[in-house]
Every structure is written in structure tokens, then in C-alpha cells.
Amino acid sequence: MPVPRVRRWKPLALTAAAVLVGITVPATATATPSPTTAPAPAAVGAYDDTYYKDALGKTGPELKSALHTIVSEQTKLSYAQVWDALKTTDEDPANSSNVILLYSGTSRSKSSSGGDQGDWNREHVWAKSHGDFGTTTGPGTDVHHLRPEDVTVNSIRGNKDFDNGGSAVAGAPGNLTDGDSFEPRDAVKGDVARMILYMAVRYDGEGGFPDLEPNDRVDNGSAPAIGRLSVLKKWSDEDPPDAFEKNRNQVIFDKFQHNRNPFIDHPEWVEEVW
């Protein structure tokens, strides 16, 4: 049985991200609130009056359907174009010559992309064999779930489902794996969950693409499914979007696919849909 995890909020990252979009967030637990300041109302997302207007007020299947329609309007990249996209979407904020690797958490030169040991390559967070879509333009090239990762660590993750537990992953501190699952480090658990759930909303069987759905299993093989949903929901709740994830979503929207991951903008929609 997995060891219960303590909820890990990211107040500094959230505050930094909020400043960029003009949203007020609560003070950290150690700050002394102003006695003259009333509690802030729930913030309205920057895109609620435009991009998400047809999804507001909906729940369950209706919300999922509305979000599918919204995010399906996108510019599709080729698999070759993904290399350059990731060098921008995952750029190290402290070193513009590097990218941040998803599982490893390390900063590596953008020029070290490739397939050799020590290189980074394109990790499909929704493993491409789960639905057998390969590197086809569409789900195989959607940068909302493609991330830079060390070649060896990427191979260790393989096409495993996501779950808690396992043995330490060499070269990627904080990650665990066993025969049928992979647990990412705490700082990106929510990122992984929201990428998986985006894919389930975006690809629903239309356009010749598989109908991708999360389930509560591991060892899904080539089925267009990935798990475990209960664990992914918990990860999303415990690890809310931070500044890096929010910036990545914005860069994809502004410069590449021109669509958004709604679960980054509205993480509460995870529970509304699932």
C-alpha cells in the first residue's frame, strides 16, 4: 500500500505566476494577513470570457465535450518540429541555452538532443504505444504531453502506466519504478497528471485518432488507456500548477499549437470531469 503523501503547495511559484497574469492569490501560511483586507473572491481565469466561455457552468460529460471542442482547434506540428518547440517550451528560466528535463529535473544543453547516452530526447508522457498512435501528426506530436528527458531515463519509463511505488530510478532522484508502473518526482506529479488528462479530452476517436481514456489499471499494454486515474487525480490535487507549467502552457498557446491545457488553467475541472 502506498505511503500517504503530505499535500505540497507551491506558494512561491503560484505567486510568481499570478503576478504575470494579474491574479490575486492568498498569502503564504507564514505571512500575517492585513486586518483591513477582505478575503479575495475566487479568481476568474484570464481566458474565461474568451477561450473557455463555452465551457463555463458545465460539469461531467458536458464539460468534457465542451473542452474537447475548444482544445481541438490547434496548429499541428510535425515530429521534427517538436525538437525546436521543446527547446522553447521547456527552456531553463535560469539558462536560456538549456532545457529542464521532466523526470530528472536537471538542466541540459539544448544542443544535446538526440538518441545517444547523455542526450535528451522526446518523452511521450501518454506513451505512444497506448493507442498505437506512434509519432503520427496529432497525438504523436502534441507538445502538451511531449517533454525533454534523458535518453536512459526515458527508456526506463518506457510505456509504463503511472502509479505509486517501486525502486529508485538511476539518474532521476525522486522517481520510482517497478515492472508495470512509473512514479515521477513530487515536483512534477501534477504536471504528469494534467498532461494525461489533457490527452483524454483532446483525442476522443475523431479524425482517425484513438479514443484515449484514463482508467484505474496498470499494465494497459497497447490499449488506448493509461492509469491509474485515482492516483493521477491525487497527484493533480497535491501538486497544483506552478510558474514553469503555466508558462509552458502559455508558450504553447502563443507560439506553437495555439491551444491550451484546460487543467492547468482550471485544475478544479479534473474533479468536475472525472
Side-chain angles (χ1 to χ4, degrees):
M1 178 177 295
V3 177
R5 298 185 178 275
V6 178
R7 188 180 182 91
R8 289 169 291 274
W9 294 97
K10 301 178 180 177
L12 292 178
L14 284 169
T15 303
V19 169
L20 294 176
V21 298
I23 298 173
T24 301
V25 298
T28 61
T30 57
T32 302
S34 169
T36 61
T37 303
V44 175
Y47 291 90
D48 282 3
D49 293 335
T50 53
Y51 191 73
Y52 292 121
K53 61 184 177 63
D54 293 334
L56 298 183
K58 295 181 170 65
T59 60
E62 288 187 352
L63 176 58
K64 185 181 180 185
S65 177
L67 292 176
H68 167 74
T69 300
I70 292 167
V71 304
S72 294
E73 292 293 326
Q74 72 179 96
T75 299
K76 297 181 179 68
L77 305 181
S78 71
Y79 199 44
Q81 288 174 318
V82 168
W83 284 119
D84 288 332
L86 294 182
K87 292 174 184 178
T88 302
T89 60
D90 291 75
E91 182 177 289
D92 182 350
N95 184 348
S96 62
S97 297
N98 288 10
V99 292
I100 299 293
L101 306 186
L102 175 63
Y103 304 130
S104 309
T106 56
S107 180
R108 189 164 299 176
S109 173
K110 291 178 179 179
S111 64
S112 296
S113 58
D116 296 329
Q117 186 173 0
D119 288 343
W120 63 267
N121 59 5
R122 296 159 291 185
E123 153 72 340
H124 290 77
V125 177
W126 186 295
K128 57 185 180 288
S129 63
H130 289 235
D132 196 27
F133 53 76
T135 58
T136 304
T137 298
T141 65
D142 195 316
V143 289
H144 276 297
H145 87 116
L146 283 159
R147 301 291 293 267
E149 186 47 65
D150 175 80
V151 167
T152 301
V153 176
N154 193 350
S155 178
I156 291 170
R157 188 269 157 139
N159 68 347
K160 295 173 183 175
D161 294 84
F162 293 103
D163 197 2
N164 292 313
S167 302
V169 176
N175 297 262
L176 302 172
T177 192
D178 57 23
D180 57 19
S181 71
F182 190 90
E183 177 183 349
R185 60 194 175 97
D186 290 345
V188 296
K189 279 183 165 68
D191 308 51
V192 166
R194 287 180 285 273
M195 285 186 277
I196 292 295
L197 299 178
Y198 160 84
M199 291 292 283
V201 164
R202 170 61 185 89
Y203 300 101
D204 70 348
E206 294 180 354
F209 299 131
D211 183 5
L212 305 182
E213 289 294 338
N215 62 16
D216 215 37
R217 296 181 48 196
V218 293
D219 203 18
N220 277 292
S222 62
I226 205 163
R228 296 180 54 196
L229 177 58
S230 59
V231 173
L232 293 169
K233 289 173 63 178
K234 190 170 186 291
W235 288 353
S236 181
D237 186 49
E238 291 180 340
D239 175 39
D242 62 10
F244 187 90
E245 187 182 4
K246 289 181 178 182
N247 179 70
R248 189 176 196 277
N249 196 29
Q250 192 66 44
V251 170
I252 292 172
F253 181 71
D254 289 339
K255 296 185 177 181
F256 296 104
Q257 294 185 178
H258 311 297
N259 71 339
R260 305 183 67 83
N261 182 334
F263 303 112
I264 297 173
D265 294 322
H266 281 279
E268 74 277 9
W269 281 347
V270 171
E271 195 64 40
E272 294 289 346
V273 174
W274 286 280

